[in-house]
Amino acid sequence: MAQVKMQTARTTLMEPAAAAEDLLSQLGNIKPVLVTMFASRNRDQHALNRAVRERLPPGTRLVGATTAGELDNTGIHEGSVVLSALSGDLEVGLGLGTQLSVDAITAGQTAIKRACENLGVRQQDLDPRRYVGLVIDDGFRYKKEELLLGILERSQTLVLVGGGASDDNRDPAKQSALVHVDGEVATDAVLVALFRTSAPWAALRSHWYVPTGEKLTITKVDESHTRALEIDGHPAAKRYAEILGVKDVKDLEFGTPEGFAVRPTALRVGREYFIRAAWRPQEDGSILFANLLEEGTELELMKLGDMAGMTRGFFTDEMPRRVTNPQAALLFHCGGRMWYAHATNSVAQLAETLKAAPTAAGMNVHFEIYSGFHINTTLTALVFGAN
């Protein structure tokens, strides 16, 4: 029988050595293939990395990131460190690409190349039935689409899932993110953890929206391709406000009770809807999106469903349907979902759904990656099982 198992640990201790000792004592006497570490940004990440690395068994690999909140089966936490230890029928190769803001395509190419070298496989030989890639980037560089081009250049069928390292500080001027790859801790970087396994697995995603059949067209964008200047031939913010029935365009901002989070846009790919929500109205009447835009793109309007109910169903119904006997789930939960849950006083109900998941560890991220797409307002997951 091929299987991948997970054990988790969490601590709120701040001193790095004490935190590491607490975490590793909870894991017990095991020798995992990979440990993931999701840690609140207000910690000394370099010291924490050293302390955890020193206590891990020889040969165990380590990846991690700073967060805007940490997840496990007991809920959604702040100010803590959540560790997961993966063991069983899997091998892992790790790669780090730096200088995202200078050349994101090269950073992605470097990360996947190093991960493949770890496993002794050529990029063009990655069998999508046996290999899957986990990607965590510095989310505040806003380079997901470019780095994905680099990662997938020679292996376009490789499945990828993950999200952006983040920070629970809401001040954009003070936000920063770090990623961990073994003993390295880096900003402005992307990590790739490439898994090879014969156990059941799937990359999954869940959102709490349903399609409406209504569509809008991005008819004019700015030079950065991140701001919609016109929608359906009209000033973008004004047009979106008309669609939502909002009188003041300031109320459109994502996370407000009547804004973009209520009726976001999605890109339809086959039967899938990938949420690529508008983010923030601008003073000049345009709308800032988190992802790149093209003129002429048609997006479908979605509407809000049962937030907690749809998330619980993802854990109880979809995961077992897609993965035989799910044992381990790495979760990348959109910070925008948390933002909206706070705005609607729904955090407790959302956190409660994690009790229904298989053994899980994860973080609140700054935008998500799924099947080569940069998306948002979504929970992405890499799930392993047993056959």
Side-chain angles (χ1 to χ4, degrees):
M1 180 175 73
Q3 64 178 333
V4 174
K5 294 182 178 180
M6 176 189 283
Q7 291 178 243
T8 66
R10 183 171 69 90
T11 188
T12 57
L13 297 177
M14 288 299 297
E15 199 279 321
E21 194 66 33
D22 186 20
L23 291 165
L24 272 297
S25 66
Q26 292 178 52
L27 293 181
N29 188 26
I30 62 171
K31 186 177 180 180
V33 175
L34 176 72
V35 164
T36 69
M37 179 169 66
F38 305 118
S40 59
R41 181 66 185 91
N42 62 340
R43 295 168 178 271
D44 183 337
Q45 301 293 318
H46 290 84
L48 180 63
N49 181 289
R50 286 193 300 271
V52 171
R53 181 72 265 173
E54 288 170 357
R55 290 164 173 78
L56 290 177
T60 295
R61 310 300 299 273
L62 173 67
V63 297
T66 58
T67 79
E70 305 79 48
L71 281 65
D72 62 15
N73 293 100
T74 66
I76 302 172
H77 314 284
E78 295 180 356
S80 66
V81 183
V82 168
L83 235 59
S84 81
L86 293 165
S87 58
D89 299 287
L90 81 161
E91 300 169 84
V92 63
L94 304 182
L96 179 70
T98 58
Q99 295 188 304
L100 263 184
S101 57
V102 176
D103 187 346
I105 291 177
T106 297
Q109 291 170 334
T110 301
I112 187 64
K113 180 175 182 289
R114 291 174 175 171
C116 286
E117 288 172 350
N118 274 192
L119 287 177
V121 62
R122 300 190 307 166
Q123 294 176 55
Q124 56 267 41
D125 293 335
L126 293 175
D127 183 342
R129 295 167 298 183
R130 293 197 62 207
Y131 292 87
V132 59
L134 175 67
V135 181
I136 303 177
D137 66 304
D138 178 342
F140 299 115
R141 306 296 170 163
Y142 302 99
K143 293 292 184 179
K144 284 183 175 60
E145 278 140 327
E146 295 99 317
L147 70 87
L148 288 171
L149 289 174
I151 293 173
L152 294 171
E153 181 183 37
R154 297 186 181 181
S155 49
Q156 296 179 8
T157 59
L158 178 66
V159 176
L160 301 174
V161 65
S166 192
D167 188 338
D168 56 9
N169 192 321
R170 294 293 296 277
D171 183 350
K174 297 179 180 179
Q175 290 173 325
S176 64
L178 295 165
V179 297
H180 297 249
V181 178
D182 281 335
E184 296 184 77
V185 181
T187 190
D188 197 16
V190 56
L191 74 84
V192 172
L194 182 64
F195 295 95
R196 177 165 58 203
T197 182
S198 56
W201 63 269
L204 305 173
R205 66 98 186 95
S206 174
H207 56 72
W208 48 45
Y209 296 99
V210 293
T212 65
E214 299 178 64
K215 298 174 182 177
L216 57 79
T217 302
I218 307 296
T219 48
K220 189 175 182 180
V221 302
D222 75 332
E223 292 181 356
S224 73
H225 288 262
T226 60
R227 288 192 300 122
L229 303 179
E230 292 183 1
I231 292 175
D232 297 334
H234 301 281
K238 183 180 179 181
R239 174 60 180 147
Y240 215 120
E242 290 175 352
I243 293 171
L244 267 63
V246 174
K247 294 181 180 180
D248 190 338
V249 296
K250 293 181 180 178
D251 293 332
L252 288 173
E253 181 153 358
F254 194 96
T256 56
E258 297 180 351
F260 295 130
V262 179
R263 296 199 65 191
T265 47
L267 179 67
R268 183 173 180 178
V269 181
R271 296 182 180 181
E272 294 260 17
Y273 290 88
F274 293 164
I275 306 297
R276 293 161 71 88
W279 184 8
R280 187 176 293 155
Q282 305 293 289
E283 291 185 1
D284 63 359
S286 65
I287 297 175
L288 177 66
F289 280 69
N291 53 274
L292 297 178
L293 299 169
E294 280 190 44
E295 291 183 359
T297 299
E298 187 177 70
L299 299 172
E300 184 150 348
L301 283 160
M302 309 291 280
K303 66 179 181 180
L304 192 66
D306 179 353
M307 293 165 54
M310 294 175 78
T311 304
R312 185 178 296 104
F314 175 61
F315 294 134
T316 60
D317 301 332
E318 185 170 359
M319 281 190 180
R321 184 170 66 249
R322 297 282 301 277
V323 181
T324 304
N325 191 18
Q327 304 281 305
L330 291 169
L331 305 178
F332 302 91
H333 186 243
C334 179
R337 282 166 59 102
M338 283 301 297
W339 190 2
Y340 190 71
H342 277 292
T344 55
N345 296 314
S346 304
V347 174
Q349 298 95 306
L350 184 60
E352 183 73 13
T353 68
L354 289 162
K355 293 180 180 179
T359 305
M363 63 175 183
N364 290 332
V365 298
H366 201 60
F367 303 108
E368 304 84 65
I369 289 169
Y370 178 75
S371 292
F373 286 87
H374 170 196
I375 56 177
N376 54 37
T377 324
T378 303
L379 169 63
T380 64
L382 177 57
V383 184
F384 296 99
N387 58 19

